[in-house]
Amino acid sequence: MNVRKKYRRFVCSLLLFSVFALALCAMAVFQDMTLAERQVESSASVAERKKVYVGGTPIGIYLETDGVFVVDTGTITAEDGSACCPAENIVQSGDYIQAVNGASVNTKEELVACIRESDGGALVMDVDRQGEQISLQVVPVRDSEGEYRAGIWVRNDTQGIGTLTYVDEDGYFGALGHGISDVDTAELLNIQKGTLYDAEVVSVVKGESGSPGELSGIIHYSSSYQIGTIEENSENGIFGRVTGFSLAIEDQTLYETALRQEIELGTAVILCTVDGSCQEYEVEIKEIRLNGSDVNKGMVLEVTDPVLLAKTGGIVQGMSGSPIIQNGRLIGAVTHVSVHISYRQIHDFFQCFLRKMVQN
């Protein structure tokens, strides 16, 4: 009877999974990032259309969180051999630990030092929890190796590669088209500061059915390769100020920004760097979502350029932020990729599940 229940529950889940998989295709999903509207949304009319330099160049991103980000809590083996989790139900995933016993902490190393030096005494942690400032008390436990630990998994720095979208005439940039979230919790990261660096793509993992592919690159972490400073990490992308314009922008041509209602179905191009230089590649806008609830998915388009398809298979990870140009105007930026999942993959997954269910 238990096996039958598991089977029915799995079939229901599989049907939902299949419907979702069939709804996807080899298309990329994009954000309608109309900069002109962002500038004048509180104004009754547009006096002058916004102009920007478009990117398409790879960028290295380095973010420092506002405090030490809590990924999760975990169990540790205490000195007496028992299993315990001192921070369980006290510290939560998504918290930012900003101070311990009144002393500011900005890195996981500083937090670890506070815990190790506690000598088992209670630690008062000042935490930012979804914008609310609270104080928590955690009592570290000596582990099997004689070190004091609190059973908190943390992270404070994030780095990676993306694509620059634009730089305006005042030197402010926008990139990625979506916010940077923690890989484990999916929480949008609260940043203290961040830096943009010059980067270069060294290889491409081609996207295939069930796998999005990715751009692999090198980030030049030195002051001479610094492109700018990151001031904001939002659901619409990362924003800040450019300090190395010549490194950031290859084509120093100003493009007008389109209004939302000016976007059309049909041909457009994206600018991206996959083989050493920024190039235009043809795409087709298949769907426009003017009233969608997800601001990061305002358009759906398909890569049609045979050269890009041969190199990458379509849109791959690392191309987020690639500007979209239509009728000579910037209309948006790449944000996501939808991956087709075949019937064969569903069948193989189903058969694997049945084998494991029988074994158990």
Side-chain angles (χ1 to χ4, degrees), residues 2 11 70 95 124 193 277 282 291 293 336 346 349:
N2 188 39
V11 170
V70 176
D95 285 349
V124 177
K193 60 180 179 179
S277 63
E282 288 190 0
N291 301 312
S293 58
H336 298 78
I346 296 172
F349 177 77

Side-chain angles (χ1 to χ4, degrees), residues 17 79-80 222 261 280:
F17 177 75
E79 194 173 31
D80 61 3
S222 69
Q261 61 269 23
E280 288 188 356

